[in-house]
Amino acid sequence: MGEKKIMLGNEAIARGAWEAGVKVSAAYPGTPSTEISENIVKYEEIYAEWAPNEKVATEVAIGASISGVRAMASMKHVGLNVAADPLYTAAYTGVTGGLVLVVADDPGMYSSQNEQDTRAVARAAQVPVLEPSDSQEAKDFVKTAYDLSEKYDTPVFVRTTTRLAHSQGIVELEDRVEREDTPYERKFQKYVMMPGNAIRRHPVVEDRMRRLAQYAETCDLNRVEMGDTKLGIIPSSTSYQYVKEVFGEEASVLKLGMVHPMPEGLIRDFAAKVDRLVVVEELDPIIENYCRQ
């Protein structure tokens, strides 16, 4: 379309879902994620509902995915605890239609009863994570997440934070791409995780994460911006904006848009080019610990 519009991060996520051809969205409200569904419901092509809780929202999205359409579940970080039961199993079963979970973390606990890091849950569940840093990336990363979900047969997290959800940026709008529904097929060994089937799916999950790690090495979600090599910084999410505001071109930056799995080779190569390496991230030292390892 070429049209541009100023959007909140949550509004841009909803737009990305629409452009990606999503047909089903389920969510449980909770700041800073609430406005995602409040914007999705404006698109008549998407069936959108509030669920009784995050577990049900995730199960609705999983069911829609199994039926062959692209689906989304949205929640805040605390709600991911409620959704953990179906999430961990969905990581084993994989998807039919693309399946994306948007989880909004709340560093600083502006509207939450605790402060936890969704990336830690994703690592345990073996689900890839994309982290946009502004409204344009929020839209684009959602669309990329659906492509990855279907290509690698996996649920995908898009992790946001309060600052991203409620900040504004210029977003270039595109048309909706209608995706043909995948015909439903009964796949007992893929979707019914009795122990015998789960044992067979585990190597599939491990292989998927290896292939995603290879993808992370060269994808445009991760990018190097070389500046002064005395200092190298690895940020993700809105921390990238903080780094650029403070240092500008005075430091070299490896911006990670895909934070699980991480690109080992790209990180090693970047580290070798700078005198001092610093990681800037919100909440747990996920990237820092990976670099130390």
Side-chain angles (χ1 to χ4, degrees):
M1 290 171 57
E3 179 186 353
K4 294 184 178 181
K5 182 180 179 181
I6 296 177
M7 286 185 165
L8 293 168
N10 281 343
E11 185 182 2
I13 288 170
R15 176 71 187 201
W18 179 79
E19 290 183 6
V22 169
K23 290 188 175 179
V24 174
S25 169
Y28 184 80
T31 303
S33 71
T34 306
E35 298 91 349
I36 297 172
S37 285
E38 289 179 341
N39 281 281
I40 280 182
V41 76
K42 299 175 184 177
Y43 298 106
E44 61 182 16
E45 296 89 346
I46 303 177
Y47 168 79
E49 68 171 37
W50 289 125
N53 56 53
E54 295 86 355
K55 179 178 186 289
V56 174
T58 301
E59 290 171 338
V60 168
I62 291 172
S65 167
I66 293 173
S67 76
V69 304
R70 287 186 166 184
M72 172 181 283
S74 306
M75 63 204 72
K76 65 184 294 179
H77 65 287
V78 180
L80 185 58
N81 301 328
V82 183
D85 176 19
L87 165 67
Y88 276 73
T89 302
Y92 269 54
T93 65
V95 306
T96 301
L99 176 62
V100 171
L101 275 69
V102 182
V103 185
D105 285 7
D106 187 20
M109 294 171 284
Y110 291 94
S111 59
S112 306
Q113 63 269 47
N114 64 41
E115 186 182 55
Q116 64 191 57
D117 196 319
T118 290
R119 297 174 300 170
V121 178
R123 286 167 62 87
Q126 302 210 67
V127 175
V129 184
L130 308 187
E131 278 198 302
S133 67
D134 58 26
S135 293
Q136 179 67 57
E137 287 188 349
K139 180 183 80 78
D140 294 343
F141 281 23
V142 166
K143 296 169 70 174
T144 299
Y146 279 102
D147 292 338
L148 292 176
S149 177
E150 290 167 356
K151 180 178 180 179
Y152 292 95
D153 189 22
T154 180
V156 177
F157 275 141
V158 173
R159 176 187 182 248
T160 73
T161 64
T162 302
R163 292 303 187 197
L164 173 62
H166 295 159
S167 63
Q168 292 182 324
I170 298 174
V171 177
E172 185 171 351
L173 307 182
E174 297 176 276
D175 293 328
R176 177 177 169 90
V177 177
E178 292 292 350
R179 174 189 172 278
E180 187 174 346
D181 297 350
T182 302
Y184 171 74
E185 296 180 34
R186 292 172 61 91
K187 297 180 180 178
F188 179 82
Q189 291 185 336
K190 176 174 168 62
Y191 285 115
V192 181
M193 286 298 97
M194 297 172 66
N197 291 340
I199 290 170
R200 284 189 285 269
R201 289 295 296 178
H202 185 80
V204 175
V205 175
E206 296 289 349
D207 179 66
R208 169 210 300 157
M209 295 309 294
R210 283 192 290 269
R211 290 186 291 118
L212 279 163
Q214 293 172 355
Y215 167 81
E217 296 285 358
T218 58
C219 71
D220 57 8
L221 298 168
N222 303 319
R223 69 172 185 263
V224 175
E225 301 172 0
M226 293 304 296
D228 193 321
T229 57
K230 292 181 180 178
L231 176 62
I233 305 175
I234 303 179
S236 68
S237 187
T238 50
S239 296
Y240 168 76
Q241 305 295 350
Y242 308 151
V243 167
K244 296 300 286 187
E245 181 178 356
V246 172
F247 293 99
E249 303 302 319
E250 296 178 8
S252 295
V253 174
L254 168 54
K255 177 188 178 297
L256 294 181
M258 188 174 194
V259 294
H260 183 62
M262 279 183 259
E264 179 180 341
L266 187 62
I267 292 172
R268 287 183 181 276
D269 181 66
F270 179 74
K273 294 177 179 177
V274 298
D275 298 334
R276 182 185 180 207
L277 185 64
V278 174
V279 175
V280 179
E281 58 187 322
E282 291 185 306
L283 300 182
D284 295 342
I286 302 292
I287 300 172
E288 178 185 346
N289 287 344
Y290 183 85
C291 291
R292 290 184 183 279
Q293 289 171 358

